[in-house]
Amino acid sequence: MNYKFWKKKATDPNTKKKSKTREWADAIIFAVIAATIIRVFFIEAYTIPTGSMERSLMIGDFLFVSKVNYGARIPMTPVAFPFAHHTMPVTGGKAYWEGVQWKYRRLPGLSDIKRNDVVVFNFPEGDTVALEAQDQNYYNLVRSMGHAAVNSQFTVTSRPVDKRENYIKRCIGIGGDVITMKGGVVSVNGKPEKLVPTGQITYAVKMKSSDVNFDVFTELGFDINSDISSLGQENMFQFVGTEEMMAEVKKLDFVLSVEEDTAPADYGDISVFPQDKNRSWNVDNFGPITVPKKGWTVKLDSVTMPLYERAIRIYEGNKLEKSADGWLINGQKTDSYTFKMDYYWMMGDNRHNSLDSRFFGFVPEDHVVGKALFIWMSVRDQGSFLSKIRWSRIFKGIH
């Protein structure tokens, strides 16, 4: 008996050898499939495009985000162009096909989202987009211009959950938490939570005279072009910095006073969630507001509905109608609703320059992408080649 039959088969002269083109094609296909599996289920690279998390995360930081920590989300829009998020490179247009939509599922993770985790998630109000003004919130456009005007001036499209813009913020509250903010200080369940040491807000600084050497502030870590500006009053300036940086500013002999520059408690900002004229809330003063959690039941009335209507109708997919004597959910009269998902309250560390839950409200669990792990590269705009790299930030962990 011939026990080396496989050798004969391997050297069979009738076996057709793959061409170089076929070998390259097979290698590329394998690489694309392997990279896609890694991106979807294990780890993915992201870039910080805005300053909403400064100084914790800087514009130009490149991050690795773990899909494993909270459990990888099974693609909800599985038919998509590799390595493109929602728009085709070069040609434009959708990089996905909505003909196949899977319901939300998530693999088991290593942990739940905890307070102070830095989280990547899909923008909750990104379900509708004005394509010619993608840097603006569609719902803000409607509030300022009117629905008819927006739809006549822009090309309006919808996006599934996993194809909405990616945001990165710090988790301030988890499901069941009661969030309030007074004078720029957040409280969770009645306990004040100060900004993390790398977080920053704006301050009003009064100098003793107009003769100021601003190079001193550069040595303290300020960018005098973006972190310091005039308030239009004599010797008054606005600073953006951390508590530690501002403590050093206070020590300077030519500085008369340093005060946090926060909004008055009685000032109502209609752009702040839930965009309710009956609430005088602003970016520094709002709440109390309870973050929904799976299994939590809320009473439906004129007080709670502005807070939870979008979650019930859009995020949880119910038909919600106002009747003469109450509310109808999926055609059934009810005075309460029990949530099907956990929700989170996300805020940027750059508190006065961040589009976060103070404007768009709760982040549903099905919008969560992953946990930010560490910075693998950081590049500034200015400088030349190697000098543009922020060497001290490479492989820096995110806390």
Side-chain angles (χ1 to χ4, degrees), residues 63-90:
L63 317 175
F64 275 131
V65 174
S66 168
K67 307 294 182 70
V68 177
N69 283 64
Y70 306 139
R73 183 178 59 182
I74 304 300
M76 303 161 80
T77 312
V79 183
F81 188 80
F83 310 119
H85 185 42
H86 52 62
T87 303
M88 287 291 291
V90 183

Side-chain angles (χ1 to χ4, degrees), residues 243-374:
E243 185 177 26
E244 183 180 286
M245 293 166 68
M246 298 310 299
E248 294 300 314
V249 171
K250 283 183 180 180
K251 296 177 183 178
L252 298 173
D253 57 6
F254 56 83
V255 172
L256 186 63
S257 64
V258 175
E259 302 288 342
E260 291 185 0
D261 190 11
T262 56
D266 58 353
Y267 165 65
D269 184 350
I270 196 60
S271 68
V272 168
F273 180 81
Q275 290 82 39
D276 181 10
K277 294 179 180 179
N278 296 317
R279 286 177 165 89
S280 295
W281 291 4
N282 56 61
V283 294
D284 295 311
N285 302 276
F286 64 82
I289 183 170
T290 301
V291 182
K293 66 180 297 184
K294 186 176 181 179
W296 179 62
T297 300
V298 63
K299 180 180 174 62
L300 304 182
D301 54 32
S302 60
V303 175
T304 60
M305 284 307 291
L307 298 172
Y308 303 111
E309 178 181 357
R310 180 174 175 82
I312 296 170
R313 182 166 51 88
I314 302 298
Y315 303 147
E316 306 219 341
N318 296 286
K319 183 179 180 182
L320 182 63
E321 301 172 280
K322 181 75 169 71
S323 66
D325 58 348
W327 292 91
L328 300 176
I329 296 182
N330 300 322
Q332 301 294 317
K333 187 179 183 304
T334 183
D335 62 356
S336 66
Y337 179 78
T338 302
F339 287 92
K340 304 171 188 174
M341 289 192 292
D342 287 321
Y343 291 77
Y344 305 94
W345 190 265
M346 306 286 188
M347 291 176 65
D349 288 351
N350 189 356
R351 286 291 161 81
H352 287 160
N353 185 28
S354 175
L355 176 60
D356 53 34
S357 285
R358 290 171 294 177
F359 297 94
F360 54 70
F362 313 111
V363 176
E365 66 174 71
D366 66 348
H367 284 56
V368 172
V369 175
K371 180 179 182 179
L373 293 181
F374 64 91

Side-chain angles (χ1 to χ4, degrees), residues 165-190:
E165 291 290 351
N166 291 316
Y167 274 40
I168 183 167
K169 308 290 178 187
R170 190 176 298 276
C171 178
I172 301 299
I174 60 177
D177 284 345
V178 178
I179 308 295
T180 57
M181 194 170 189
K182 292 184 179 180
V185 178
V186 176
S187 293
V188 181
N189 301 324

